[in-house]
Amino acid sequence: MSSNRRQRIERVPGSRRAKLTPAPGTSPEPVPADDEETADAAAPADAASGAVRGPNDDQLRRDVPPHY
């Protein structure tokens, strides 16, 4: 593989961090499939896939871990 087709590490002036160049064949723009609407549409697909739901699944999804 040629070195010009790989991601490179670039320095960020004035920062201790570095960043990677974009991967070949990608763009930084979001794809419409990444919207929240598709995440909501994925929930019924899980139920339609034959996943077995237990009696406390809804409560487990609502529960939030404690904040310490």
Side-chain angles (χ1 to χ4, degrees), residues 25-38:
T26 62
S27 70
E29 298 299 319
V31 180
D34 292 341
D35 292 340
E36 290 179 20
E37 297 169 1
T38 57

Side-chain angles (χ1 to χ4, degrees), residues 31-63:
V31 180
D34 292 341
D35 292 340
E36 290 179 20
E37 297 169 1
T38 57
D40 294 338
D46 293 340
S49 68
V52 179
R53 295 190 61 174
N56 64 343
D57 283 351
D58 291 329
Q59 180 180 353
L60 290 172
R61 292 178 194 269
R62 286 190 309 265
D63 284 349

Side-chain angles (χ1 to χ4, degrees), residues 11-30:
R11 288 182 160 225
V12 178
S15 176
R16 294 177 59 176
R17 296 186 181 262
K19 68 175 184 173
L20 288 174
T21 57
T26 62
S27 70
E29 298 299 319

